[in-house]
């Protein structure tokens, strides 16, 4: 099987290659809007910049929510040495971005390439190159331009508040692994696009009124806090399943979350998801994530009166250089189709 030619994998690679740190998601929303219209649907933008689309079915409305925003950074200040001080967008460890290539998106519309590194990057020069604490104050961006000072940066049009996106380094292996940054949560976005495609082609019929909601501020905590369809009765966050430690989820299954940092998920929904996975033969794992939050929690905090759950493909090394497998995407799609489709 040539995994790279599968719709779900091609879409995933396209998605991770569109820069979209929280607050800088217009381009990816435009991409999704265009693809959903091509499939025959009528998506609409919310005032907050998210995208919502009804794809079929009647009665008992359900929302499948995935987020398009990713980790990233912003320029905090222009340093006297011609480097950029940064502030993080979303939560990640500094060692996970050290020596990563990046793009600075200036407010003028110009882009500049660069590399994120510590302020003591060379073992041949700095005695503390190995021991320096990797924290945001000790990281900077080396811009790929001839620069001597802050004034040179200003001449380029770079300033505080410019967004910084990380090179995803997307790679699909011959045996079905997808390695890339931002699989959280673009793997799930690709799953929902494939679900919409299969509905549009008549391969699946929605047994209940079904919305897809693509939020754009999940990584900073308020993604699905507004503009959910008024008639929503149930919201399922489709987000990545965490892998590691004593968790049962791996890179091949769909994860069904029973509890995360926000507390237990709706037990009736969790049981129904498990029963569906068994019925349709989707490989799954039920897990508890102590350091995890999802879009549906933002909806609940905002006061939405809905049933709620969380599922998603297993993703290893979350918020770093991540990896999943085609089987996890396939199992997530299979669970969604079994839960909603006829």
């Amino acid at each position: 099987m040539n995994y790279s030619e599968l719709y779900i994998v091609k879409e995933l690679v396209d998605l991770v290659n569109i820069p979209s740190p929280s607050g800088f998601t217009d381009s990816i929303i435009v991409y999704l809007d265009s693809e959903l219209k091509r499939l025959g649907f009528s998506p609409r933008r919310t005032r907050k910049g998210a995208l919502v689309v009804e794809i079929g079915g009647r009665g008992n409305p359900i929302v499948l929510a995935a987020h398009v925003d990713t980790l990233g950074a912003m320029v905090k200040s222009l340093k006297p040495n011609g480097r950029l001080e940064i502030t993080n967008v979303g939560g990640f460890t500094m060692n996970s971005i050290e020596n990563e290539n990046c793009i600075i998106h200036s407010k003028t519309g110009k882009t500049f390439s660069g590399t994120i590194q510590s302020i003591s990057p060379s073992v041949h020069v700095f005695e503390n190159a190995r021991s320096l604490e990797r924290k945001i104050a000790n990281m900077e961006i080396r811009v790929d331009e001839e620069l001597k000072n802050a004034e040179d940066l200003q001449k380029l049009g770079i300033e505080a508040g410019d967004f910084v996106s990380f090179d995803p380094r997307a790679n699909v292996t011959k045996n079905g692994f997808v390695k890339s940054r931002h699989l959280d949560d673009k793997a799930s976005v690709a799953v929902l696009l494939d679900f919409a495609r299969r509905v549009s082609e008549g391969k699946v019929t929605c047994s209940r009124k079904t919305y897809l909601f693509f939020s754009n501020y999940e990584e900073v905590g308020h993604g699905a806090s507004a503009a959910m369809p008024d008639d929503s009765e149930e919201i399922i966050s489709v987000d990545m399943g965490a892998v590691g430690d004593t968790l049962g989820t791996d890179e091949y299954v769909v994860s069904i979350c029973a509890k995360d940092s926000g507390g237990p998920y709706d037990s009736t929904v969790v049981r129904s998801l498990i029963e569906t996975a068994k019925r349709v033969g989707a490989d799954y794992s039920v897990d508890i994530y102590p350091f995890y939050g999802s879009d549906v929690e933002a909806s609940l905090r905002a006061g939405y009166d809905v049933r709620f759950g969380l599922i998603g493909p297993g993703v290893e090394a979350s918020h770093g250089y991540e990896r999943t497998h085609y089987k996890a995407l396939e199992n997530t799609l299979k669970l969604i189709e079994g839960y909603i489709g006829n």
Side-chain angles (χ1 to χ4, degrees):
M1 180 185 296
N2 188 341
Y3 293 97
S4 296
E5 293 184 357
L6 298 173
Y7 177 87
I8 196 170
V9 176
K10 287 194 294 185
E11 284 299 318
L12 176 51
V13 172
D14 286 346
L15 290 165
V16 297
N17 279 306
I18 300 173
S20 59
S22 302
F24 189 76
T25 56
D26 281 354
S27 293
I28 196 165
I29 290 294
V30 168
Y31 176 91
L32 287 174
D33 182 79
S34 176
E35 179 62 10
L36 288 164
K37 286 177 178 174
R38 188 189 70 81
L39 294 173
F41 300 109
S42 300
R44 63 174 178 84
R45 294 280 295 269
T46 72
R47 284 189 287 271
K48 192 175 171 181
L51 194 70
V52 60
V53 60
E54 181 183 340
I55 63 169
R58 299 179 65 182
N60 307 115
I62 184 171
V63 180
L64 300 174
H67 66 91
V68 300
D69 61 309
T70 70
L71 306 175
M74 296 178 78
V75 175
K76 184 178 180 182
S77 70
L78 313 185
K79 301 179 71 171
N81 63 355
R83 305 295 172 90
L84 298 175
E85 182 184 12
I86 59 174
T87 180
N88 57 295
V89 174
F92 49 84
T93 60
M94 294 304 111
N95 64 292
S96 72
I97 63 166
E98 185 174 7
N99 299 320
E100 185 61 274
N101 290 325
C102 64
I103 298 175
I104 301 99
H105 304 267
S106 76
K107 298 182 191 66
T108 65
K110 294 181 180 179
T111 59
F112 303 91
S113 64
T115 304
I116 303 166
Q117 56 188 29
S118 81
I119 58 175
S120 299
S122 173
V123 295
H124 298 104
V125 177
F126 301 97
E127 185 178 3
N128 67 343
R130 295 182 178 89
S131 62
L132 181 71
E133 182 182 359
R134 267 47 179 183
K135 60 182 181 179
I136 196 73
N138 290 336
M139 309 300 288
E140 63 184 10
I141 293 178
R142 178 186 65 198
V143 183
D144 297 329
E145 299 286 340
E146 292 190 26
L147 303 167
K148 298 294 185 182
N149 48 48
E151 288 73 24
D152 289 340
L153 286 165
Q154 290 174 332
K155 291 175 183 177
L156 291 176
I158 297 174
E159 62 182 15
D162 288 345
F163 281 94
V164 177
S165 61
F166 306 150
D167 185 351
R169 290 185 284 131
N171 179 33
V172 181
T173 70
K174 292 181 180 179
N175 56 349
F177 287 103
V178 183
K179 302 189 293 183
S180 179
R181 289 188 180 276
H182 313 319
L183 298 181
D184 173 17
D185 184 32
K186 292 180 178 180
S188 296
V189 175
V191 169
L192 294 189
L193 276 180
D194 204 15
F195 178 55
R197 178 186 67 87
R198 289 172 58 78
V199 170
S200 73
E201 293 176 355
K203 295 177 180 177
V204 181
T205 302
C206 297
S207 62
R208 53 197 295 196
K209 190 175 184 180
T210 303
Y211 298 98
L212 306 183
F213 188 92
F214 299 99
S215 71
N216 56 336
Y217 283 98
E218 192 274 350
E219 292 293 0
V220 291
H222 59 89
S225 62
M228 282 290 174
D230 292 336
D231 58 349
S232 304
E233 295 181 3
E234 183 175 343
I235 301 174
I236 303 292
S237 277
V238 189
D239 208 332
M240 60 110 208
V243 174
D245 197 23
T246 60
L247 301 176
T249 296
D250 59 29
E251 298 160 88
Y252 314 102
V253 305
V254 55
S255 171
I256 300 172
C257 186
K259 176 182 179 291
D260 64 13
S261 62
Y265 281 83
D266 187 308
S267 60
T268 301
V269 172
V270 171
R271 285 196 302 271
S272 182
L273 288 166
I274 293 170
E275 291 167 1
T276 301
K278 291 178 179 178
R279 175 172 54 82
V280 300
D283 291 334
Y284 73 96
S285 178
V286 180
D287 269 314
I288 291 175
Y289 299 137
F291 311 112
Y292 190 116
S294 74
D295 256 336
V296 73
E297 291 174 28
S299 300
L300 295 172
R301 288 194 298 269
Y304 285 94
D305 179 19
V306 292
R307 296 181 295 276
F308 54 99
L310 167 62
I311 64 172
V315 172
E316 205 268 338
S318 54
H319 282 202
Y321 186 57
E322 300 164 337
R323 191 178 79 164
T324 191
H325 193 275
Y326 169 73
K327 290 180 180 178
L329 307 177
E330 184 180 46
N331 281 312
T332 305
L333 180 61
K334 187 181 292 186
L335 175 56
I336 289 171
E337 291 188 355
Y339 194 68
I340 295 175
N342 287 325

